[in-house]
Amino acid sequence: MVARSAGRSPVWLVAVWGATRLLLLLFVLKVLVFPGPDVTSDVSVIYRDWYEVLRTGAFPSDDVTWQYPPAAAFAILSPALLPFLAYATAFFVLVCAVDAAVLALLWRAGRGSGRSPRGAWVWVAGVPLLGPTVYARYDLLVTAVAVAALLAAGRHPRVAGALAAVGALLKVWPALVLVGMGGRRPWVAAAVGGAGLAGLFAVTMPGAFAFLTFQRERGVEVESLGALVFHVARHFGWEGGVLLNYGSMEFLGPHVDTVSTVSMGLSAAAFGWLLLWRVRAARSPGPRSPRSRSPEPQPPESSESRPPESRPPGSRSSRSPSSRSRFAAHTAADAAFVAVLLFTVTSRVISPQYLVWLVGLAAVCRCFRASRMRVPVALVLAASLVTVLEFPFLFADVVASTPLGIALLAVRNGLLVAAALVGARALWRDTVRRGSAGGRPGASGPGISRAPSADSPATAG
């Protein structure tokens, strides 16, 4: 009983959050020293230089390290909200404030029927596992937008779509949160909002889309999955090396282009799988409830005979229960989590801060008791712990391709690959009905319940 009340009370949650975030702030403010290279120079030097250029109304298009969509300017300029603090200090304080806002969203989302406070705990525990790097990059701000989009999907699909568009213009990947949202409204809102904001940047600020060229010319970053080939090859006479390239440590030399091409091919395959999943899931009944059994036959009941409060918003008598529950709220979160996992492991770059994307989406998944992502979430948390060991703690070993550095990367990337594969399988099994005849939504396969999920629909139409 005590354990249950502790899990439901926000007191312990806030206490643990406060203690761990105070520690992160002490590290980034250099009151305490974290082992390894200084992770705050990106903010105090690079971000600060970009800030000075952005204040003039133009993007730093001559700087090859600027590899971000135009709305990233909001994040870089945000310390101006606290003019009484130095740039770096203001940035760290704002990131901490956004961290707290995400916790509040997750705690609120974890209350009620079919929900769980475990999502908030995943966020509280997962973020500090990444060490001070998580506060010294703007990725946590982007993650907050993606989390808000997923949590808004059930009741406010247009808001969810607009937030996804803003997130995509901050750092591209939040567009993936749309993949599991049903109905047209979030997609239309994302398209209209994204096009409008992108057009505004293109007209008002020169160099808004120069980042596309810089991204295309990147090599294979030393922490990526494909980089393991060259880490091992260096011990067998490979003639290439590691250099600072486009703002990160990358392999340059023979066959790097081949591995880069393979990585992009795997990303294309991941996109194809997601497209196939979306089509198949849209033709199948709603996701199975983990405790549901085949319901007893009930006489048909028209929506007109129900009390008004029992009808879904915007429902009509012609809409079947399966069509209403096909993309449930937990499905939207699970699909987004799997999509970002797939594109992370197939990317040419896996920077340490990318893990905060996964921690945020994992936290949203665990807000829903019906989520199938329990094992993948645990694997991502384990990968986060290994990540702080390989960067910044033992990054010199990674760059030098020592056996220890290779082992750390193999374990971290292996955990992420396992999470992606297990998550993709669970998502498919949860949403794509087996034994379907042509994917007709009306039929039911053996052992598959057509009872609606306990959580709310991802959209209302």
Side-chain angles (χ1 to χ4, degrees):
M1 180 66 85
V2 174
R4 169 175 270 187
S5 62
R8 294 185 179 277
S9 171
V11 175
W12 282 104
L13 193 72
V14 173
V16 175
W17 181 90
T20 54
R21 273 41 174 195
L22 175 61
L23 194 59
L24 289 178
L25 284 173
L26 291 175
F27 281 130
V28 294
L29 293 174
K30 299 183 180 178
V31 177
L32 299 177
V33 177
F34 198 85
D38 180 16
V39 299
T40 64
S41 60
D42 276 33
V43 177
S44 59
V45 178
I46 299 175
Y47 285 15
R48 176 63 196 238
D49 290 345
W50 291 342
Y51 172 82
E52 296 298 338
V53 176
L54 290 166
R55 289 177 63 188
T56 67
F59 285 93
S61 54
D62 294 332
D63 185 349
V64 296
T65 60
W66 177 262
Q67 300 172 20
Y68 309 109
F74 294 144
I76 304 303
L77 291 170
S78 63
L81 296 171
L82 302 175
F84 49 87
L85 295 176
Y87 180 87
T89 303
F91 184 88
F92 302 142
V93 170
L94 286 171
V95 171
C96 185
V98 172
D99 183 356
V102 174
L103 175 62
L105 287 173
L106 291 167
W107 171 253
R108 185 175 183 274
R111 303 178 67 184
S113 177
R115 304 301 180 95
S116 171
R118 292 186 180 91
W121 278 107
V122 167
W123 180 256
V124 167
V127 169
L129 286 178
L130 296 170
T133 306
V134 75
Y135 268 24
R137 304 291 187 271
Y138 83 92
D139 293 79
L140 191 146
L141 308 180
V142 185
T143 302
V145 176
V147 167
L150 283 172
L151 295 179
R155 294 176 179 267
H156 307 287
R158 291 188 181 90
V159 173
L163 288 171
V166 172
L169 287 171
L170 278 166
K171 208 162 187 180
V172 181
W173 70 265
L176 294 171
V177 303
L178 291 167
V179 72
M181 295 185 190
R184 297 179 181 177
R185 284 185 285 178
W187 293 82
V188 171
V192 172
L197 188 57
L200 182 63
F201 276 115
V203 170
T204 59
M205 295 183 70
F209 296 97
F211 77 97
L212 294 172
T213 299
F214 300 149
Q215 280 287 350
R216 186 174 63 247
E217 295 175 355
R218 294 194 71 164
V220 176
E221 193 257 346
V222 294
E223 297 163 280
S224 65
L225 182 63
L228 284 169
V229 174
F230 300 112
H231 281 295
V232 174
R234 293 176 83 178
H235 292 271
F236 294 92
W238 181 65
E239 297 178 354
V242 177
L243 293 174
L244 182 63
N245 189 49
Y246 289 94
S248 65
M249 302 302 292
E250 298 182 354
F251 279 111
L252 298 175
H255 310 299
V256 169
D257 288 342
T258 300
V259 172
S260 180
T261 300
V262 171
S263 295
M264 289 187 287
L266 291 173
S267 294
F271 178 80
W273 183 89
L274 286 169
L275 184 61
L276 175 63
W277 168 80
R278 172 81 191 193
V279 172
R280 291 291 303 275
R283 294 177 179 176
S284 300
R288 290 173 284 162
S289 173
R291 296 182 179 87
S292 62
R293 295 183 179 180
S294 299
E296 295 296 327
Q298 298 291 334
E301 179 184 18
S302 66
S303 61
E304 286 81 358
S305 63
R306 300 176 191 164
E309 63 272 13
S310 68
R311 300 179 197 168
S315 65
R316 297 179 181 177
S317 58
S318 60
R319 296 179 69 189
S320 67
S322 63
S323 67
R324 288 195 302 269
S325 61
R326 187 171 298 144
F327 287 96
H330 84 271
T331 305
D334 288 0
F337 181 53
V338 170
V340 175
L341 266 171
L342 289 171
F343 278 96
T344 298
V345 298
T346 59
S347 174
R348 295 173 293 171
V349 179
I350 305 181
S351 296
Q353 62 269 22
Y354 290 10
L355 272 292
V356 76
W357 311 348
L358 299 172
V359 169
L361 299 181
V364 178
C365 291
R366 297 298 277 129
C367 284
F368 301 99
R369 297 187 186 277
S371 172
R372 303 288 179 165
M373 296 296 133
R374 292 173 178 80
V375 172
V377 167
L379 292 171
V380 164
L381 292 177
S384 299
L385 179 59
V386 180
T387 295
V388 79
L389 296 178
E390 63 92 358
F391 184 89
F393 190 55
L394 295 170
F395 192 57
D397 288 271
V398 173
V399 173
S401 301
T402 67
L404 177 59
I406 295 174
L408 285 172
L409 279 183
V411 172
R412 195 280 302 272
N413 292 344
L415 288 168
L416 292 178
V417 170
L421 294 177
V422 173
R425 182 175 183 269
L427 178 66
W428 187 278
R429 289 170 62 88
D430 187 41
T431 54
V432 178
R433 179 171 44 78
R434 293 170 293 176
S436 60
R440 294 192 308 271
S444 60
I448 306 298
S449 170
R450 295 175 58 189
S453 175
D455 52 348
S456 59
T459 70

